Amino acid sequence: MSEHGDSAQVPRKLLLLHGSRQVGEILLGRIEKLRKKLRKMYNLEFVAPDGPFLHPEDKGMRQWWNREGNDYFGLREKTLEFIQSIWNKNDGLEGIVGFSQGARLAHLLVQCHESTVQPLRLKGLRYVIMCSGYEAPPPISGLEERKLCTPSLHVWGAKDKLIPPEQSRAVMKDYQNAVHHEHDGGHHVPMKAFDVQIYTEFIANYAKVEENPHKWPSSLHADDPVLHALSETPSEEAMMAQQDEVEALSAMFPDELKMYSKKVGVVYEFPIVYRIDLIKTTEGMWPPHPISLEVSYPHDYPESVIAQIKLIHENNMMEFTSKQIQACHQAISDAAETEIGMPTVLTCVYAAREFFESGSMATVTDITQEDPHGLADADKEYEKKHASVIRPASKERIQLCILQGLQIAQLVCKKLHTIEANTTAYKMVLNQCHGGIWKYTCGLVGKPSAGSKYDFFFSNYFACPVSLLKRYGRSIFSAIFL
């Protein structure tokens, strides 16, 4: 059971914040593809309120505040109270999606939510998506200057003339766990198939909640650990155990451990929160960009639960996939659960290192065992109707298939890289790619050169249906490795 109760009774929801000179219904219509996809995949619905202020140049449209220079009028007094009221009335809200001015508001909401001095609290907030967001002078004084823990996806258009990409990119620096997606359009929320896939994979990454009460909510959980259990304090025994563990870890990892909590006298303020950077080694397989473990102590740690841990990184979804993230969390969780009742953070650090150094990350990259993009049914239906012709591929489908093809090729290359050439194991990996005969009926005239032939192999390999790849993969891989 999640913090929102039975998922069958409490529907999952997203707060949608429109841009200036818009209303919620208009933005809902423009993201209809995403709306339908989320409803079908996750039974996830949008709550799309209208901003409380009329737009001065269009009385039928709305905005979230009135602004003159760096002064925001009505933001604190009206808008924040309005949002808090909407959030409290809608059980099941788990994330925020904002566009343009709505993205700017989404960023402010996260800042206030994570602040210890602002009264705004968005219970259950798990992630935020900002489309065409931008950096601006802080409209609210007193907000702490620290990295925000809420997972964030930042989306912008390469051709956006209203909000240049560098302004949207600048917002990322305020987040510890930020990912981004740049589309080839302008000032709008992109809705091509590949764009929708980015949104759905991000939401799948950060919306999962473990039902086991002994498993921490990791980076896939809802609440920011900095704000978790602020109303509760640990017992004297638990507090001493927490302080002792921090002191021991600080001595063991003097350069890798970074404290977030303030130290008052000889003790740290509760809740204790810190980060341990994992030092990348040459063993096994690691993501290309740094990985850290963010640790937060619940009030009853280590007496009855394990520490809350998040994976902090800036790898994209190809460099460190959602399944790899889940597998890493599972490895850490399994190791820690064997020591409930004792300090477990050192065990978690070693378990994370072992996951990467043992090569376990490579074992969860094979997408050929599943259909992550939901294309298998469409491929089968197409094969029935067009058994002997080449399927015309749309730009969006080619992009999806390129990702699939690259992941398949990446898996084989990584396996071959770790095995001595021409050995039995090497040949076994190659045999995994064997299939039948790849045959095309096409309208080429004349004799193509060898280079053209391989161009033909490459282009059609990455655009062919996944179901056909599984059956006829041998000659395609042969062309790649020649």
Side-chain angles (χ1 to χ4, degrees):
M1 180 177 293
S2 72
E3 66 183 54
H4 294 302
D6 189 345
S7 59
Q9 298 177 0
V10 181
R12 297 171 58 187
K13 300 173 186 176
L14 282 171
L15 180 63
L16 182 66
L17 304 176
H18 62 77
S20 180
R21 206 169 186 171
Q22 269 191 336
V23 291
E25 199 63 34
I26 290 178
L27 187 55
L28 270 178
R30 292 178 179 175
I31 64 166
E32 184 64 18
K33 289 182 180 180
L34 177 61
R35 185 182 182 184
K36 290 181 178 179
K37 192 76 171 179
L38 292 177
R39 180 187 297 145
K40 180 179 179 181
M41 293 177 67
Y42 308 124
N43 193 28
L44 190 58
E45 297 288 349
F46 282 98
V47 176
D50 296 339
F53 298 97
L54 294 174
H55 193 278
E57 299 177 9
D58 191 341
K59 299 303 181 183
M61 297 293 106
R62 296 279 180 156
Q63 57 186 14
W64 294 104
W65 54 72
N66 294 315
R67 181 180 176 184
E68 294 182 8
N70 293 333
D71 295 325
Y72 292 67
F73 297 101
L75 173 62
R76 184 193 294 269
E77 303 81 3
K78 198 166 186 178
T79 302
L80 293 185
E81 291 184 5
F82 177 57
I83 294 295
Q84 183 72 78
S85 174
I86 291 173
W87 197 277
N88 293 343
K89 291 177 182 178
N90 284 273
D91 290 338
L93 278 169
E94 64 181 52
I96 304 173
V97 179
F99 168 64
S100 195
Q101 190 186 70
R104 174 61 177 157
L105 175 59
H107 177 54
L108 294 173
L109 292 175
V110 174
Q111 288 180 303
C112 292
H113 172 67
E114 296 198 15
S115 170
T116 58
V117 298
Q118 292 297 324
L120 186 74
R121 286 293 175 265
L122 305 177
K123 182 181 179 181
L125 176 63
R126 306 176 187 181
Y127 51 87
V128 60
I129 300 175
M130 287 167 275
C131 301
S132 297
Y134 56 92
E135 194 175 39
I140 299 176
S141 60
L143 295 175
E144 299 94 329
E145 293 185 5
R146 65 177 180 85
K147 291 277 190 176
L148 301 171
C149 299
T150 302
S152 60
L153 171 62
H154 304 256
V155 181
W156 61 78
K159 301 175 183 177
D160 194 332
K161 303 299 183 183
L162 185 61
I163 298 177
E166 56 268 22
Q167 289 193 25
S168 296
R169 191 181 293 110
V171 184
M172 292 180 62
K173 74 178 188 311
D174 294 331
Y175 290 83
Q176 289 183 5
N177 202 13
V179 294
H180 72 274
H181 169 54
E182 181 176 277
H183 60 93
D184 58 5
H187 191 69
H188 62 271
V189 182
M191 281 292 119
K192 294 180 180 179
F194 183 67
D195 304 313
V196 172
Q197 177 196 345
I198 294 293
Y199 302 132
T200 55
E201 287 189 358
F202 174 81
I203 290 172
N205 243 5
Y206 293 102
K208 183 179 179 181
V209 178
E210 297 284 1
E211 295 184 353
N212 186 335
H214 291 303
K215 289 184 182 289
W216 65 77
S218 70
S219 67
L220 304 177
H221 184 263
D223 289 336
D224 169 12
V226 175
L227 302 175
H228 179 71
L230 280 175
S231 60
E232 300 183 74
T233 56
S235 65
E236 184 176 350
E237 183 179 354
M239 186 178 298
M240 288 297 297
Q242 294 177 13
Q243 300 287 340
D244 290 344
E245 184 177 39
V246 170
E247 294 297 335
L249 291 171
S250 298
M252 296 178 66
F253 304 106
D255 298 324
E256 297 92 335
L257 192 146
K258 309 292 190 302
M259 287 299 306
Y260 294 150
S261 299
K262 295 180 180 180
K263 194 170 188 178
V264 180
V266 295
V267 299
Y268 291 99
E269 289 184 341
F270 182 80
I272 295 177
V273 183
Y274 55 90
R275 186 184 85 230
I276 298 179
D277 299 329
L278 299 181
I279 303 302
K280 186 176 181 179
T281 67
T282 57
E283 298 180 26
M285 176 182 174
W286 293 71
H289 303 295
I291 301 284
S292 302
L293 301 184
E294 184 181 274
V295 182
S296 176
Y297 290 158
H299 69 94
D300 46 357
Y301 170 82
E303 295 174 337
S304 58
V305 298
I306 57 181
Q308 295 181 347
I309 293 186
K310 288 172 106 177
L311 279 174
I312 305 299
H313 64 92
E314 295 184 358
N315 298 280
N316 63 37
M317 294 178 184
M318 286 290 293
E319 295 166 333
F320 197 23
T321 69
S322 59
K323 284 198 171 295
Q324 290 169 338
I325 292 172
Q326 292 177 32
C328 184
H329 275 293
Q330 189 64 50
I332 297 171
S333 174
D334 290 345
E337 283 190 323
T338 64
E339 300 181 2
I340 290 180
M342 300 183 293
T344 58
V345 174
L346 184 60
T347 298
C348 295
V349 173
Y350 287 153
R353 285 180 174 175
E354 176 67 18
F355 176 81
F356 297 114
E357 292 179 348
S358 66
S360 297
M361 176 177 163
T363 66
V364 290
T365 57
D366 189 357
I367 67 166
T368 62
Q369 303 303 317
E370 55 182 330
D371 183 21
H373 303 296
L375 300 176
D377 293 339
D379 291 338
K380 292 176 182 178
E381 184 65 25
Y382 174 81
E383 290 179 55
K384 292 179 183 178
K385 296 180 180 179
H386 309 282
S388 62
V389 297
I390 300 175
R391 180 180 184 179
S394 66
K395 180 180 178 181
E396 291 78 11
R397 183 175 184 79
I398 290 174
Q399 287 179 308
L400 291 177
C401 292
I402 284 174
L403 290 177
Q404 295 173 334
L406 287 173
Q407 287 181 320
I408 294 171
Q410 182 187 47
L411 172 67
V412 176
C413 289
K414 285 176 180 176
K415 287 184 177 180
L416 293 177
H417 182 69
T418 60
I419 302 173
E420 184 178 352
N422 299 321
T423 62
T424 301
Y426 190 90
K427 294 177 181 179
M428 289 177 64
V429 173
L430 288 179
N431 287 335
Q432 292 177 1
C433 306
H434 286 188
I437 299 174
W438 188 264
K439 182 179 180 181
Y440 278 116
T441 301
C442 54
L444 295 178
V445 178
K447 183 180 179 181
S449 66
S452 299
K453 178 178 70 173
Y454 284 110
D455 288 343
F456 180 76
F457 269 125
F458 273 115
S459 62
N460 287 286
Y461 164 73
F462 287 118
C464 69
V466 173
S467 56
L468 293 180
L469 268 179
K470 294 176 183 178
R471 291 164 48 193
Y472 305 120
R474 178 173 182 174
S475 62
I476 301 303
F477 276 107
S478 299
I480 289 176
F481 289 121
L482 282 174

